[in-house]
Amino acid sequence: MGNEKKNTSKAAAKAAKKQKAEAKISKKEKKKIKKTTDAPTEDEDLEAILDRMNREWEDAHKVTEELVEGPPSRRANATLTPCPSGNYLWCIGGEFFSDDGKAYFYNDVYRYNPDKDEWRKFVSPTCPGPRSAHAVVTSAAGGGKLFLFGGEFSSLYQNTFHHYRDFWSFDISTHSWDRLDTKIRPSARSGHRMAMWKHYIVLFGGFYDPGHRTQYLNDTWVFDTQEYKWRQIEFKDMDRKPSARSGFSFLSTPEGIVLHGGYCKEYIKGKRPIGVMLDDTWFLRMSLETSQSPSSSTVSSDPLGLKWERRKKPSFAPHIRSGCTMALWSVKGMGVLFGGVTDDDRDEESLESVFWNDLYGYQLVGNGRWQSMTLKKLKKAGKGGKRKAAAVQQEESDGDDDGIKTQEVKNTKDLDVDPDDPTLTTPIPRYNAMLTVLRNTLYIYGGIFERGSREYTLDDFYSIQLDKLERYTCLKHSGIVIPAEGDESSSDDDEDGVESDEDGDSDNETRVEEDDAGLNLEKLDDSRDDEEADEPVNARDEVRAQATAFMGVSRDTARSAEDVISTPEPGETLALFYARSREYWTQKAHGVSDNRGKQLRRDGFSFAEERYAEYKPILEEVEKILAEAGLDEDEMRAGAAQTGGGGGIASSRNRR
């Protein structure tokens, strides 16, 4: 009986298994039949998918065009480029640093129509991120395109910093952006330059700043706009080539590309970095070879030949300077240079800068030749006193090293000055101005001017006809007020004379400023106050002696650069001390720590904080001594800004 039940259950299980297998096979057959019958429906679904993808692409590339009142807002390190397929200028990106230390970066696209004196703004969801110090080059192929590579971006308070290595194409006919992703491409960088030669885009140099040291580059890259491929040009070790640099001129000619000038920093162990202005000129000779050439520095199978040649320095040339990239005047085969800045950065105690507003032309063909492009003098009947006086003013302006005489001449009400003198139309001195030439007209937008320790980002807009050189035309006046030299210090002195005796108020102001700088110094200040209350007379005498000795040492010109930059100055807050010595402390942290990026900067700040706390009792005593001598807090701060080996303007981010 038991065996019969067991056999029955086995048979039932076997039957159920068989039934399950048959159901599985039936299901597969139904799926096959369904696929066959539903084939037209799948085609319809595919069309729907493609239609949806097209709509998504159109939405992502939808361009909004807006007529705006005037030029872009105040900014520096943007690009101003002539249109390759129309009488327009294109302005892209840029940066602005406000007085409260905030950084603003832009990714907007503006087009200027000189015939209508009209600016338009184009906005698209698909576009490059906000940036400055990028490079843009144009091509007339395909209705006209702008190619953009690289640049930099930082957060609002500059806690994070980023270099781009993306490559974009802007279609002038549709006003839309496309990102060109290639496996091989140049490294991330800023301050580089690009030039178009035939259908090749040539990129050179720039810099990369990981946070503790600026690395300058001198690599050469070529992008083929027909094959859409990047490749690096490898030169032989014995071949001559330009040194690493950024912010140079890079101008195309029928035979190749001219490189002139630029800027870099010289790093010597144990010393602060020194800015180096370059005035050498190079020519990148380019050719499309039909046969292999043994002298070519490129791969033998490549028809493109490139070779660097250094040009001799001509007998006449502009004064050495930086922040003055030339614009190409293609009609005349000439580069046009305006403005710039000359820094005397060899003195560890201070930085003296001369700002320019002169105009020069550089003939690109042959061995190159500079010429001064001065405004043509007035043609008047007779030789009256007015004309003579104007000429004298111009001579004084040309001979004045600080370059600001032009602005002072403009504002003068002297009756001997001729109001029709064309030199009075010259823009004020500046560097990093955005220049471009459209046909025979040079356009100058913005730039940076410095007065004392303060930077002014300009927003004025000028033009001048290069084939006539009669006068500058101001298309938009700047609303920025720059005080005359000496006004700031005199007004400060007046205020200081009233407040110098109010010691309590100055202490409160100091603490507020330290809090505004985002540094937690309250605990340190409170502990010092408690210690001073209980401090015995002998200890105070000892601190006074140390302070007196420190004052003597701080004035010693034989101090090492490391001692100058690593020691806080009287009147200098922790925020100011760290701001001018940040590179030093970051490098010190880099030598003992494996951290990088933001954490490395925090380590550097900790070193600076320890150093500041070590000197704080002595500095406070020095401030008391100076206050007793009649020097108040603002004057101490001004002195601290002028000393310290590289603070203030010397460490400006625009000097890269």
Side-chain angles (χ1 to χ4, degrees):
M1 193 75 177
N3 290 334
E4 288 180 6
K5 284 184 178 181
K6 191 179 278 188
N7 292 334
T8 303
S9 62
K10 282 184 178 181
K14 202 171 185 180
K17 192 174 182 180
K18 185 177 180 182
Q19 188 177 3
K20 191 175 181 180
E22 288 175 353
K24 197 173 182 180
I25 293 171
S26 176
K27 193 175 181 180
K28 285 183 179 180
E29 291 295 330
K30 285 180 180 179
K31 280 186 178 181
K32 286 183 181 179
I33 294 170
K34 189 175 181 182
K35 282 184 180 180
T36 305
T37 56
D38 290 352
T41 307
E42 281 206 354
D43 288 341
E44 292 174 2
D45 290 341
L46 183 60
E47 290 178 2
I49 290 170
L50 291 173
D51 185 56
R52 188 177 72 252
M53 290 174 64
N54 286 333
R55 286 199 306 270
E56 289 175 353
W57 187 92
E58 289 174 358
D59 290 340
H61 290 75
K62 186 178 180 180
V63 179
T64 303
E65 183 176 342
E66 176 187 356
L67 179 65
V68 294
E69 291 184 359
S73 59
R74 293 170 62 187
R75 63 190 63 192
N77 296 316
T79 55
L80 192 63
T81 312
C83 185
S85 56
N87 193 38
Y88 303 109
L89 301 179
W90 293 94
C91 181
I92 301 174
E95 66 186 13
F96 174 68
F97 286 78
S98 60
D99 292 338
D100 57 357
K102 294 179 181 178
Y104 299 90
F105 288 78
Y106 306 99
N107 66 340
D108 37 20
V109 177
Y110 288 89
R111 188 190 71 188
Y112 177 67
N113 184 339
D115 296 331
K116 299 180 179 179
D117 190 23
E118 174 185 276
W119 287 89
R120 290 184 177 271
K121 183 179 179 180
F122 298 89
V123 180
S124 171
T126 301
C127 62
R131 68 191 64 205
S132 67
H134 48 284
V136 170
V137 72
T138 65
S139 170
K145 293 184 183 297
L146 306 178
F147 292 93
L148 179 151
F149 182 86
E152 62 187 59
F153 171 81
S154 79
S155 59
L156 186 64
Y157 291 99
Q158 305 174 63
N159 296 321
T160 57
F161 189 80
H162 175 69
H163 285 278
Y164 291 101
R165 63 176 302 198
D166 50 352
F167 189 44
W168 293 80
S169 170
F170 181 79
D171 191 301
I172 291 173
S173 58
T174 62
H175 305 142
S176 61
W177 287 99
D178 282 307
R179 180 166 175 161
L180 308 179
D181 287 321
T182 56
K183 187 176 180 180
I184 299 174
R185 54 184 166 162
S187 60
R189 66 189 67 200
S190 307
H192 53 291
R193 296 291 183 264
M194 297 195 301
M196 196 82 190
W197 188 80
K198 298 189 183 299
H199 62 276
Y200 295 101
I201 297 173
V202 183
L203 180 151
F204 179 82
F207 67 88
Y208 177 75
D209 188 353
H212 63 279
R213 175 172 174 160
T214 304
Q215 177 185 352
Y216 290 86
L217 308 168
N218 69 335
D219 48 349
T220 306
W221 289 79
V222 170
F223 180 79
D224 190 329
T225 59
Q226 294 179 351
E227 298 183 2
Y228 273 60
K229 289 183 179 179
W230 279 106
R231 66 185 181 88
Q232 184 175 2
I233 305 300
E234 300 289 349
F235 296 95
K236 297 176 182 177
D237 293 339
M238 63 185 72
D239 290 342
R240 302 181 73 187
K241 57 184 177 181
S243 59
R245 67 191 69 199
S246 71
F248 48 92
S249 298
F250 207 51
L251 305 176
S252 182
T253 74
E255 291 77 30
I257 298 172
V258 173
L259 181 154
H260 174 75
Y263 183 87
C264 67
K265 284 184 179 178
E266 188 178 86
Y267 289 88
I268 301 174
K269 190 174 181 180
K271 296 184 178 180
R272 67 181 181 87
I274 296 175
V276 179
M277 297 171 291
L278 304 169
D279 62 349
D280 51 344
T281 306
W282 294 77
F283 183 67
L284 180 62
R285 190 169 297 280
M286 303 179 67
S287 60
L288 284 172
E289 302 170 357
T290 55
S291 60
Q292 296 182 5
S293 173
S295 62
S296 173
S297 300
T298 60
V299 181
S300 59
S301 60
D302 187 358
L304 181 64
L306 298 97
K307 182 181 179 181
W308 283 107
E309 301 172 358
R310 180 161 185 168
R311 288 188 171 180
K312 292 181 179 179
K313 187 174 181 179
S315 56
F316 170 76
H319 197 287
I320 187 170
R321 63 189 72 186
S322 63
C324 53
T325 301
M326 285 191 282
L328 176 63
W329 187 10
S330 56
V331 175
K332 297 291 185 180
M334 180 181 288
V336 181
L337 180 150
F338 175 83
V341 58
T342 301
D343 293 327
D344 182 5
D345 197 17
R346 296 289 171 178
D347 186 354
E348 297 173 355
E349 295 296 326
S350 62
L351 170 72
E352 293 184 2
S353 300
V354 178
F355 303 92
W356 306 95
N357 62 346
D358 43 3
L359 189 66
Y360 290 91
Y362 180 77
Q363 291 287 351
L364 300 173
V365 298
N367 294 323
R369 182 172 62 87
W370 287 100
Q371 63 183 66
S372 178
M373 303 177 71
T374 55
L375 297 181
K376 295 179 180 178
K377 294 183 179 181
L378 296 172
K379 294 181 180 179
K380 288 187 177 182
K383 298 182 180 179
K386 287 186 177 180
R387 180 179 177 183
K388 184 176 181 181
V392 171
Q393 288 285 359
Q394 174 62 14
E395 289 172 4
E396 290 176 359
S397 174
D398 292 343
D400 191 87
D401 285 344
D402 65 13
I404 198 63
K405 275 285 184 184
T406 303
Q407 186 184 23
E408 294 172 0
V409 171
K410 285 183 186 180
N411 297 331
T412 184
K413 296 182 180 179
D414 192 335
L415 296 177
D416 290 336
V417 175
D418 189 341
D420 294 327
D421 185 356
T423 61
L424 302 182
T425 66
T426 307
I428 68 168
R430 65 194 66 200
Y431 69 99
N432 283 3
M434 287 152 276
L435 301 185
T436 195
V437 177
L438 185 62
R439 297 179 180 173
N440 291 316
T441 304
L442 171 70
Y443 293 89
I444 306 170
Y445 172 62
I448 298 173
F449 178 72
E450 295 168 4
R451 173 76 77 191
S453 60
R454 185 175 177 185
E455 293 178 353
Y456 296 88
T457 301
L458 307 174
D459 61 349
D460 47 0
F461 188 40
Y462 284 85
S463 69
I464 181 172
Q465 287 186 266
L466 297 174
D467 54 343
K468 296 181 179 179
L469 290 177
E470 292 177 343
R471 64 195 303 116
Y472 288 88
T473 302
C474 183
L475 302 171
K476 193 260 180 184
H477 289 280
S478 176
I480 299 156
V481 178
I482 302 176
E485 194 166 3
D487 284 1
E488 286 181 333
S489 59
S490 62
S491 62
D492 290 343
D493 290 342
D494 293 339
E495 295 175 4
D496 296 343
V498 176
E499 298 177 359
S500 60
D501 294 331
E502 300 176 7
D503 295 335
D505 291 344
S506 64
D507 289 341
N508 291 335
E509 289 171 9
T510 304
R511 197 156 288 129
V512 169
E513 288 175 7
E514 290 166 348
D515 291 340
D516 289 344
L519 301 169
N520 186 14
L521 303 180
E522 290 182 0
K523 186 175 180 181
L524 180 60
D525 290 341
D526 291 340
S527 63
R528 287 294 172 197
D529 291 340
D530 293 338
E531 289 172 11
E532 286 179 6
D534 300 329
E535 200 171 16
V537 177
N538 292 339
R540 289 181 183 174
D541 292 340
E542 185 179 344
V543 172
R544 174 61 65 108
Q546 291 176 351
T548 305
F550 175 82
M551 291 174 67
V553 172
S554 64
R555 294 190 181 98
D556 187 1
T557 58
R559 293 171 67 194
S560 67
E562 183 176 4
D563 184 37
V564 171
I565 201 168
S566 65
T567 305
E569 297 289 338
E572 196 173 45
T573 63
L574 175 55
L576 291 172
F577 172 55
Y578 178 68
R580 74 167 171 87
S581 59
R582 180 172 55 185
E583 280 194 28
Y584 171 82
W585 297 113
T586 306
Q587 288 188 37
K588 187 172 182 179
H590 182 71
V592 298
S593 172
D594 295 330
N595 293 326
R596 295 295 180 269
K598 189 174 181 180
Q599 189 57 48
L600 181 65
R601 289 193 290 273
R602 286 178 177 172
D603 294 341
F605 176 75
S606 297
F607 281 125
E609 192 175 29
E610 291 174 8
R611 182 73 163 179
Y612 189 85
E614 178 185 347
Y615 274 84
K616 195 166 190 297
I618 299 174
L619 294 175
E620 289 176 343
E621 194 64 26
V622 170
E623 290 170 15
K624 289 180 183 178
I625 296 172
L626 295 175
E628 292 169 3
L631 192 68
D632 67 4
E633 181 187 331
D634 290 340
E635 290 172 315
M636 289 182 228
R637 289 185 186 279
Q642 292 170 2
T643 59
I649 295 301
S651 57
S652 166
R653 66 185 310 281
N654 293 304
R655 303 293 206 276
R656 295 184 300 175

